[in-house]
Amino acid sequence: MSSRKRVVDGGEGTGGKMSKEGSGKRHIAALVLARGGSKGIPLKNIKMLAGVPLIGWVLRAAVDSELFDSVWVSTDHDKIEQVALAWGAQVHRRSPEVSRDSSSSLETIQEFIRLNPHVDILCHIQATSPCLHPFHIKEALEFITAHGYDSVFSVVRRHHFRWQEVKKGSGEVTKAFNLDPANRPRRQDWDGELCENGSFYFNTKELIEKGRPQSGKVSYYEMLPEYSVDIDVDIDWPVAEQRVLRYGYFGRGTPEVVRLMFCKLAGCLTDGKIYLSAAGDEMMSINSRDAAAIRTLQEEDVEVVLLTGSEDPVEQTLADKLAKRTGCQVVRVGGEPVDDLAAMLESRKLVWRDVAYIGNDAPDVDCLNLAGLSAVPADAPVVAINACKYTCHREGGNGVVREFAEHILMQKAKAKSQMKQDRIN
């Protein structure tokens, strides 16, 4: 079992009730609260995490679970609305009254329920929990739909010894809350304690309307620690990205395993600058980390082809020297690279799903859309960012190819792990 469930009976339940419409089918909705204001990270809910907007991770899990009659995002911000719609959610534009810093989640959820009375069961999913998977939602929801409970929320098991806080200068002494200091248990001899991990909260409409969530007949759903990532509380962005790349939900398909990478030279391997020496010679530079990344991909049986789109002799000289250093083929493409590369794929008996592509401008859009994995530097224009599947943190010429190479290799590792697990199953 990947997760464990327990029940707390807090009173007479209402979870077994039918919809007021009398159809016997209750409307189950998912709701993600995503206010535009953030005291820590501006527009944190749509900040890119491992190439995906933060809110996109939980929306993908909710939509792919196919358990909800509707999936919603409650927001007061236009950009968040655009991202929510792009990831398959409907949008509830919350009122100013529940968009203040002092507004509680319950107040916002109650407003949503009041304006959507057809909803019978609501799952409040927090955007800051990007390792949520569809199977978590399915197993937790069964407590309400199959067993008649009113409220289910996610928890994680922690093995932390807790002590009473003592104010400085009070003269008080601290006391242990959950252990006997004279008989400290070993971790393997102690079950630990269950703590809310903030991933999701299921409640019936009646509990929300009464302002009493987590009441009635209550169940908790235990998630394993590796899935319990809460960016708000205990993890920073770079660490969260590594956790998500390993434990996040990437969709229903098998992670892409590419055999060929096309890499635009200008704007990806270079920063777009031309340097002049005192003698008047023109020069361009590449990052040594990018060159090392190309060799790493080749060692992992990924062919790398460098693309140039210019007749500039400096760029061509750089491409030739890099090709000699790494063994890469150099191909000149025109204004529509997708047309120039079709024959190359055919000769290698590959399709675009087998290809990774990193570009940085409007002519690359078709290739970025078609490739199984695609990326652009952080300083790419919006038209290219919207077409790619992964937006890098680094800018062109500053290690962006290495960043994308690490993403490609992570996908290969995930695919191998998934195939191994399938064999075990």
Side-chain angles (χ1 to χ4, degrees), residues 190-210:
W190 182 43
D191 290 338
E193 296 182 327
L194 298 178
C195 306
E196 290 186 21
N197 70 351
S199 187
F200 61 81
Y201 300 83
F202 277 100
N203 284 287
T204 60
K205 175 171 64 175
E206 290 80 8
L207 295 182
I208 296 171
E209 290 175 333
K210 294 175 182 177

Side-chain angles (χ1 to χ4, degrees), residues 8-20:
V8 178
D9 192 349
E12 183 178 354
T14 61
K17 291 182 179 180
M18 297 298 183
S19 172
K20 291 182 179 179

